[in-house]
Amino acid sequence: MDTPGTDALVRLGDTDETVANPDDDIRGRDVKDKDGADLGKVKALLIDENERKVRLIEVASGGFLGIGQDTTFIPVDAITSVTADEVRLDQTREHVAGAPAYDPALIHERDTYGDVFGYYGFAPFWGGGYSYPDYPYYRPTGA
């Protein structure tokens, strides 16, 4: 039997939901690894509809006008800081590059996003003792 928060994830943009504080909406911001290397941009926020929390970010890199773009899912647990312009992760570029293959159809399978959490070293959000990270949050310049 599934527990709350274990249903399929959906893109926030595919729902009627919004981010409560517009400053906390990180879509379109640059994503940097722990060393400051560019990883791409936040393309989408994936939420579980039961708890209405962001669980994964969808990061797109490369390509031109969306053609030839590489995409990956990254748990919000990997976010270490958010500014008005960028999202910083606790991962290296090389580690992100080796992440499980992106398949948008599979995000509806709990095993698939469970593998993503495991790859990045985080417990899945439906597991016992899980604590939601301090996300979303906004740190204005100079704060």
Side-chain angles (χ1 to χ4, degrees):
M1 180 168 97
D2 283 354
T3 57
T6 59
D7 290 338
L9 300 180
V10 297
R11 286 177 182 80
L12 180 63
D14 293 342
T15 71
D16 293 333
E17 302 290 328
T18 61
V19 176
N21 180 350
D23 288 337
D24 290 336
D25 190 346
I26 62 171
R27 289 176 285 187
R29 294 186 194 178
D30 293 328
V31 179
K32 307 281 185 175
D33 78 352
K34 69 181 196 172
D35 300 318
D38 187 32
L39 298 176
K41 291 195 178 285
V42 178
K43 181 177 177 180
L45 305 175
L46 287 99
I47 63 169
D48 76 74
E49 291 187 296
N50 285 339
E51 294 186 34
R52 295 184 173 140
K53 291 185 177 180
V54 177
R55 301 299 185 180
L56 298 171
I57 60 174
E58 185 175 334
V59 177
S61 61
F64 179 71
L65 299 177
I67 299 170
Q69 233 174 29
D70 290 324
T71 306
T72 190
F73 296 123
I74 300 173
V76 296
D77 311 70
I79 296 173
T80 58
S81 68
V82 175
T83 69
D85 300 319
E86 73 178 33
V87 175
R88 185 69 65 114
L89 305 178
D90 68 354
Q91 307 288 316
T92 64
R93 180 183 184 101
E94 293 77 19
H95 192 72
V96 172
Y102 171 80
D103 184 342
L106 294 181
I107 200 56
H108 299 292
E109 303 292 329
R110 182 170 59 172
D111 290 342
T112 299
Y113 51 86
D115 290 346
V116 171
F117 278 88
Y119 176 80
Y120 285 102
F122 299 106
F125 59 88
W126 61 87
Y130 177 80
S131 178
Y132 191 71
D134 292 333
Y135 175 88
Y137 52 93
Y138 174 69
R139 301 215 197 284
T141 304

